[in-house]
Amino acid sequence: MIRYKDILAESLVDGVGLRVTAFLQGCPRHCQGCHNPLLLPMEGGYEVSEEKFVDKILALVTPIHHGITFSGGDPLAQPEALFKTIDLIKRRQPRLNIWVYTGYTYEEVQRVPVLSLIDVLVDGPFVMAEKDLDLPFRGSANQRIIDMEQTRQKGCVTVLPLEKTARSWAS
């Protein structure tokens, strides 16, 4: 079972290209100035099976979508359910890239199995003192946009070059 609050059919701010964004319920971090404070409680939202959640997400995907983003709350607060969800998506729609936002740093969660399925991890807590609304796809300068494929290949954190465009993801 997975707990979520909402699913947006079209987002251009939660990753490269047109995306479906799923907001998971619950976050233990409680960063000051959190973008989604209503999603902090671990209760609330809707609890559904991972299969039904995937059906809801994929029903919103069109041929022009580039991927799916999991935000929150903190998606890594439900690591087993997120693993099952992304695994099901990858089996049914392997062309879609997967972005996950987390308040944890990569170093804190690098051994969590779901990271093996993620294409991009936006990591780190939101830090009010480093808030910058001009940054693409993140709220504070300490957060990194990590290319997980390159990170897995090189064995060290590799930040996604922001010039990587939606077109390059589609190829």
Side-chain angles (χ1 to χ4, degrees):
M1 300 296 276
I2 191 163
R3 189 170 290 277
Y4 77 101
K5 181 62 176 176
D6 200 5
I7 304 170
L8 293 180
E10 297 179 355
S11 173
L12 294 170
V13 298
D14 296 314
V16 174
L18 182 63
R19 317 188 64 77
V20 171
T21 300
F23 294 90
L24 300 190
Q25 183 74 42
C27 177
R29 301 194 63 92
H30 296 256
C31 301
Q32 180 185 9
C34 174
H35 180 67
N36 293 321
L38 296 176
L39 302 183
L40 294 177
M42 301 306 280
E43 298 80 30
Y46 311 98
E47 188 174 63
V48 297
S49 70
E50 291 85 353
E51 293 82 4
K52 285 188 178 182
F53 189 50
V54 169
D55 289 344
K56 288 177 181 285
I57 291 169
L58 293 182
L60 300 173
V61 172
T62 69
I64 62 171
H65 277 88
H66 292 92
I68 298 169
T69 297
F70 292 92
S71 188
D74 192 319
L76 294 184
Q78 303 179 65
E80 294 86 11
L82 185 63
F83 182 95
K84 189 171 181 181
T85 297
I86 294 174
D87 186 53
L88 288 168
I89 290 170
K90 293 261 184 188
R91 290 172 193 258
R92 291 173 58 185
Q93 290 280 344
R95 73 171 183 85
L96 297 171
N97 64 71
I98 305 293
W99 284 46
V100 173
Y101 282 77
T102 183
Y104 296 99
T105 64
Y106 171 79
E107 290 76 10
E108 292 174 307
V109 296
Q110 63 184 317
R111 299 201 194 314
V112 176
V114 71
L115 267 62
S116 67
L117 302 176
I118 295 170
D119 297 294
V120 174
L121 181 72
V122 182
D123 83 332
F126 174 77
V127 176
M128 185 66 87
E130 297 191 46
K131 178 180 178 180
D132 185 343
L133 298 179
D134 292 329
L135 296 171
F137 311 126
R138 56 195 170 131
S140 60
N142 62 299
Q143 296 171 313
R144 300 175 294 184
I145 302 171
I146 299 172
D147 182 328
M148 290 302 297
E149 182 180 338
Q150 289 296 308
T151 295
R152 287 187 289 268
Q153 286 179 2
K154 295 179 178 177
C156 62
V157 171
T158 304
V159 175
L160 182 73
L162 291 179
E163 59 273 6
K164 192 167 190 174
T165 65
R167 187 168 304 190
S168 68
W169 278 105
S171 62

